Amino acid sequence: MIHPASFKDPAGFVFQKEGTWYRQVNKSGLPDMETLFQSGLYDSLVAARKLIPHQRIAENLTASNEWYATFLPEQLHRISYPYEWSFSQLKDAALLTLDLALLAIEKGMILKDATPFNVQFHEGRPVFIDLLSFTRYDASKPWVAYRQFCENFLFPLLLEKYLGWNARELLRTHLDGIPLALTVKLLPWSSRLNPSVAMHVFLQQKMANGKTVSAEKATGFSKQKMTNLLLHLQSMIRGLTWKRKTTWSDYYTDTILDQTYLQEKENAFLAMLSRIKGKTALDLGANDGYFSRLAANKGWQVVATDFDEACIDRLYGQIRTEKIQSILPLCIDMANPSPALGFAHRERDDFTRRMKSDLVLALALVHHLVIGKNIPLSRLTDYLAELGPTLLIEFVPREDEKTKGLLAQKEDIYLNYTPANFEQAFGERYNLTAKQAISGTHRVLYLYQRKEK
């Protein structure tokens, strides 16, 4: 089965056979592939952990007449997309792409595209996954992927920095990158005072409007000018910062009930976790990943999600600093998770299909979805059951001060939000394995096993 997104490059494609992903290189990709390996670029990138390792398979697994080579890449744990990454994740993916472009030039090659879909987060760090993005360098041509790099990396990062809101969500609408014209309209006037922004945004706009010299003249064609352009972009992006404090970004230090509650909950959580067998966990509403880290310490491969970008950005920073390889942080609003997108709705898979896990964690989340988002318990139950067979969930009742805070903001139409109705709703889809009240609170942890049809 050819991956639904692997149709844009005639030099090859990604396909799956018997549950394993492979990459096929076609005959038209032969010259670039030979240069990639013979130049030493492939070996140096893999050694630096910037490119996912590939093993060459001497077999035409697709029986294609266009076949030249088959490669078995190191398999990824999960696939994520740029509109699910925090500011720092997108920034690191941008810097990786520029690193690869600079290293490629040293070996006589260049990146012919610069899309973030060629980057994945694997074992705690970004890694490039596409062998076919490298082509032989032609000193007579500018970097053909410059505009694509700006629209997919630079523009969303600039919009986040200057506007403060989640510009990455625009990438969900604009899969090929945020258009230049839209970026110009959204950036504040003060951004023009930054010489780098003026060069890479507003000068491009003037060129596009034919009001100044051509793009070729501005960027230059020589190898040195190409290198200078990439180094300038690298320096600019390294200097971009984004920091925002939200209600949830310091939850475990500022707004959680108290440390006694946290310790009691941790004890109950670990006791239940010890009863579960599996490898993959999906932590919904993970905040800063406190319980994701507990699960990771017990050997689980965890995807930690939260709608709050500040929380996920902080968790990502900790993962990079502490070199944690078993947690993938993602910005996901559980009331509106990433849908299937792209051509025929198949190019980019939806969140649910990509994130099915052995264990689903939903701690201190249910009241936000039921009361905050008006999602009925029955629908929530069905959705969580779709994500995985085992569920460890915390019920936060009406008596809890956090639930009271939600109810104070709106008309109380949630009279059915009771422990009995909660247990009845989840009992229809799950068998109860364990139940533990958290001392000193009205909260309860439940461990459920999905009823198989």
mmCIF file of all heavy atoms in Angstrom, residues 55-73:
data_model
loop_
_atom_site.group_PDB
_atom_site.id
_atom_site.type_symbol
_atom_site.label_atom_id
_atom_site.label_comp_id
_atom_site.label_asym_id
_atom_site.label_seq_id
_atom_site.Cartn_x
_atom_site.Cartn_y
_atom_site.Cartn_z
ATOM 1 N N GLN A 55 18.076 1.101 5.696
ATOM 2 C CA GLN A 55 18.787 -0.120 5.278
ATOM 3 C C GLN A 55 18.354 -0.479 3.867
ATOM 4 O O GLN A 55 17.161 -0.553 3.574
ATOM 5 C CB GLN A 55 18.444 -1.269 6.240
ATOM 6 C CG GLN A 55 19.066 -2.591 5.859
ATOM 7 C CD GLN A 55 18.583 -3.720 6.751
ATOM 8 O OE1 GLN A 55 17.897 -3.497 7.750
ATOM 9 N NE2 GLN A 55 18.918 -4.939 6.379
ATOM 10 N N ARG A 56 19.329 -0.696 2.977
ATOM 11 C CA ARG A 56 18.991 -1.000 1.591
ATOM 12 C C ARG A 56 18.554 -2.458 1.453
ATOM 13 O O ARG A 56 19.215 -3.372 1.971
ATOM 14 C CB ARG A 56 20.180 -0.723 0.673
ATOM 15 C CG ARG A 56 19.814 -0.763 -0.800
ATOM 16 C CD ARG A 56 20.844 -0.022 -1.611
ATOM 17 N NE ARG A 56 20.463 0.021 -3.022
ATOM 18 C CZ ARG A 56 20.987 0.848 -3.895
ATOM 19 N NH1 ARG A 56 21.908 1.708 -3.508
ATOM 20 N NH2 ARG A 56 20.609 0.840 -5.154
ATOM 21 N N ILE A 57 17.427 -2.683 0.780
ATOM 22 C CA ILE A 57 16.883 -4.021 0.587
ATOM 23 C C ILE A 57 17.028 -4.384 -0.890
ATOM 24 O O ILE A 57 16.545 -3.659 -1.763
ATOM 25 C CB ILE A 57 15.386 -4.085 0.970
ATOM 26 C CG1 ILE A 57 15.182 -3.580 2.395
ATOM 27 C CG2 ILE A 57 14.850 -5.500 0.789
ATOM 28 C CD1 ILE A 57 15.806 -4.421 3.454
ATOM 29 N N ALA A 58 17.692 -5.486 -1.190
ATOM 30 C CA ALA A 58 17.947 -5.870 -2.578
ATOM 31 C C ALA A 58 16.761 -6.633 -3.162
ATOM 32 O O ALA A 58 16.869 -7.769 -3.619
ATOM 33 C CB ALA A 58 19.215 -6.711 -2.656
ATOM 34 N N GLU A 59 15.603 -6.005 -3.113
ATOM 35 C CA GLU A 59 14.410 -6.677 -3.621
ATOM 36 C C GLU A 59 13.389 -5.629 -4.061
ATOM 37 O O GLU A 59 13.154 -4.637 -3.368
ATOM 38 C CB GLU A 59 13.799 -7.559 -2.529
ATOM 39 C CG GLU A 59 12.646 -8.416 -3.010
ATOM 40 C CD GLU A 59 12.111 -9.338 -1.924
ATOM 41 O OE1 GLU A 59 12.676 -9.334 -0.813
ATOM 42 O OE2 GLU A 59 11.124 -10.042 -2.194
ATOM 43 N N ASN A 60 12.785 -5.878 -5.207
ATOM 44 C CA ASN A 60 11.728 -5.002 -5.710
ATOM 45 C C ASN A 60 10.399 -5.461 -5.110
ATOM 46 O O ASN A 60 9.689 -6.289 -5.688
ATOM 47 C CB ASN A 60 11.699 -5.061 -7.241
ATOM 48 C CG ASN A 60 10.637 -4.149 -7.829
ATOM 49 O OD1 ASN A 60 9.905 -3.475 -7.100
ATOM 50 N ND2 ASN A 60 10.570 -4.116 -9.162
ATOM 51 N N LEU A 61 10.049 -4.921 -3.970
ATOM 52 C CA LEU A 61 8.873 -5.394 -3.226
ATOM 53 C C LEU A 61 7.558 -4.983 -3.879
ATOM 54 O O LEU A 61 6.510 -5.546 -3.568
ATOM 55 C CB LEU A 61 8.919 -4.870 -1.789
ATOM 56 C CG LEU A 61 10.085 -5.382 -0.931
ATOM 57 C CD1 LEU A 61 10.081 -4.712 0.446
ATOM 58 C CD2 LEU A 61 10.022 -6.894 -0.778
ATOM 59 N N THR A 62 7.595 -3.990 -4.749
ATOM 60 C CA THR A 62 6.358 -3.528 -5.392
ATOM 61 C C THR A 62 6.212 -4.074 -6.805
ATOM 62 O O THR A 62 5.199 -3.832 -7.460
ATOM 63 C CB THR A 62 6.320 -1.994 -5.456
ATOM 64 O OG1 THR A 62 7.406 -1.530 -6.278
ATOM 65 C CG2 THR A 62 6.440 -1.378 -4.073
ATOM 66 N N ALA A 63 7.244 -4.795 -7.305
ATOM 67 C CA ALA A 63 7.225 -5.328 -8.674
ATOM 68 C C ALA A 63 7.002 -4.215 -9.699
ATOM 69 O O ALA A 63 6.429 -4.439 -10.770
ATOM 70 C CB ALA A 63 6.152 -6.409 -8.814
ATOM 71 N N SER A 64 7.486 -3.030 -9.392
ATOM 72 C CA SER A 64 7.304 -1.872 -10.270
ATOM 73 C C SER A 64 8.386 -1.845 -11.351
ATOM 74 O O SER A 64 9.563 -2.101 -11.081
ATOM 75 C CB SER A 64 7.367 -0.589 -9.437
ATOM 76 O OG SER A 64 7.509 0.530 -10.267
ATOM 77 N N ASN A 65 7.994 -1.486 -12.569
ATOM 78 C CA ASN A 65 8.969 -1.358 -13.654
ATOM 79 C C ASN A 65 9.879 -0.151 -13.457
ATOM 80 O O ASN A 65 10.942 -0.060 -14.066
ATOM 81 C CB ASN A 65 8.243 -1.233 -14.995
ATOM 82 C CG ASN A 65 7.541 -2.525 -15.383
ATOM 83 O OD1 ASN A 65 7.978 -3.628 -15.028
ATOM 84 N ND2 ASN A 65 6.429 -2.398 -16.093
ATOM 85 N N GLU A 66 9.433 0.803 -12.636
ATOM 86 C CA GLU A 66 10.222 2.017 -12.385
ATOM 87 C C GLU A 66 11.224 1.825 -11.256
ATOM 88 O O GLU A 66 11.990 2.717 -10.928
ATOM 89 C CB GLU A 66 9.273 3.182 -12.031
ATOM 90 C CG GLU A 66 8.326 3.578 -13.129
ATOM 91 C CD GLU A 66 9.065 4.042 -14.363
ATOM 92 O OE1 GLU A 66 10.020 4.824 -14.214
ATOM 93 O OE2 GLU A 66 8.707 3.598 -15.472
ATOM 94 N N TRP A 67 11.219 0.656 -10.626
ATOM 95 C CA TRP A 67 12.030 0.411 -9.423
ATOM 96 C C TRP A 67 13.532 0.549 -9.669
ATOM 97 O O TRP A 67 14.059 0.049 -10.646
ATOM 98 C CB TRP A 67 11.736 -0.992 -8.898
ATOM 99 C CG TRP A 67 12.539 -1.390 -7.698
ATOM 100 C CD1 TRP A 67 12.290 -1.080 -6.406
ATOM 101 C CD2 TRP A 67 13.730 -2.195 -7.678
ATOM 102 N NE1 TRP A 67 13.233 -1.631 -5.566
ATOM 103 C CE2 TRP A 67 14.131 -2.322 -6.332
ATOM 104 C CE3 TRP A 67 14.491 -2.820 -8.661
ATOM 105 C CZ2 TRP A 67 15.254 -3.050 -5.944
ATOM 106 C CZ3 TRP A 67 15.619 -3.541 -8.282
ATOM 107 C CH2 TRP A 67 15.985 -3.654 -6.939
ATOM 108 N N TYR A 68 14.175 1.232 -8.733
ATOM 109 C CA TYR A 68 15.640 1.283 -8.734
ATOM 110 C C TYR A 68 16.200 0.728 -7.428
ATOM 111 O O TYR A 68 17.157 -0.043 -7.432
ATOM 112 C CB TYR A 68 16.122 2.724 -8.940
ATOM 113 C CG TYR A 68 17.555 2.939 -8.526
ATOM 114 C CD1 TYR A 68 18.598 2.317 -9.218
ATOM 115 C CD2 TYR A 68 17.879 3.749 -7.431
ATOM 116 C CE1 TYR A 68 19.923 2.491 -8.837
ATOM 117 C CE2 TYR A 68 19.193 3.930 -7.037
ATOM 118 C CZ TYR A 68 20.209 3.303 -7.742
ATOM 119 O OH TYR A 68 21.513 3.469 -7.351
ATOM 120 N N ALA A 69 15.581 1.104 -6.304
ATOM 121 C CA ALA A 69 16.082 0.633 -5.006
ATOM 122 C C ALA A 69 14.958 0.651 -3.974
ATOM 123 O O ALA A 69 14.005 1.421 -4.076
ATOM 124 C CB ALA A 69 17.234 1.514 -4.526
ATOM 125 N N THR A 70 15.098 -0.227 -2.988
ATOM 126 C CA THR A 70 14.172 -0.257 -1.850
ATOM 127 C C THR A 70 14.965 -0.002 -0.567
ATOM 128 O O THR A 70 16.054 -0.562 -0.394
ATOM 129 C CB THR A 70 13.476 -1.635 -1.741
ATOM 130 O OG1 THR A 70 12.803 -1.914 -2.964
ATOM 131 C CG2 THR A 70 12.480 -1.644 -0.590
ATOM 132 N N PHE A 71 14.409 0.836 0.298
ATOM 133 C CA PHE A 71 15.063 1.136 1.574
ATOM 134 C C PHE A 71 14.094 0.861 2.720
ATOM 135 O O PHE A 71 12.902 1.178 2.635
ATOM 136 C CB PHE A 71 15.515 2.596 1.632
ATOM 137 C CG PHE A 71 16.635 2.915 0.679
ATOM 138 C CD1 PHE A 71 16.365 3.397 -0.597
ATOM 139 C CD2 PHE A 71 17.956 2.705 1.048
ATOM 140 C CE1 PHE A 71 17.395 3.684 -1.476
ATOM 141 C CE2 PHE A 71 18.990 2.985 0.169
ATOM 142 C CZ PHE A 71 18.706 3.479 -1.097
ATOM 143 N N LEU A 72 14.643 0.288 3.782
ATOM 144 C CA LEU A 72 13.880 0.061 5.008
ATOM 145 C C LEU A 72 14.324 1.097 6.040
ATOM 146 O O LEU A 72 15.423 0.995 6.590
ATOM 147 C CB LEU A 72 14.142 -1.349 5.542
ATOM 148 C CG LEU A 72 13.571 -1.670 6.939
ATOM 149 C CD1 LEU A 72 12.054 -1.572 6.942
ATOM 150 C CD2 LEU A 72 14.035 -3.051 7.410
ATOM 151 N N PRO A 73 13.500 2.123 6.287
ATOM 152 C CA PRO A 73 13.899 3.123 7.291
ATOM 153 C C PRO A 73 13.645 2.605 8.699
ATOM 154 O O PRO A 73 12.811 1.718 8.908
ATOM 155 C CB PRO A 73 12.968 4.306 6.974
ATOM 156 C CG PRO A 73 11.739 3.676 6.388
ATOM 157 C CD PRO A 73 12.196 2.427 5.673
#
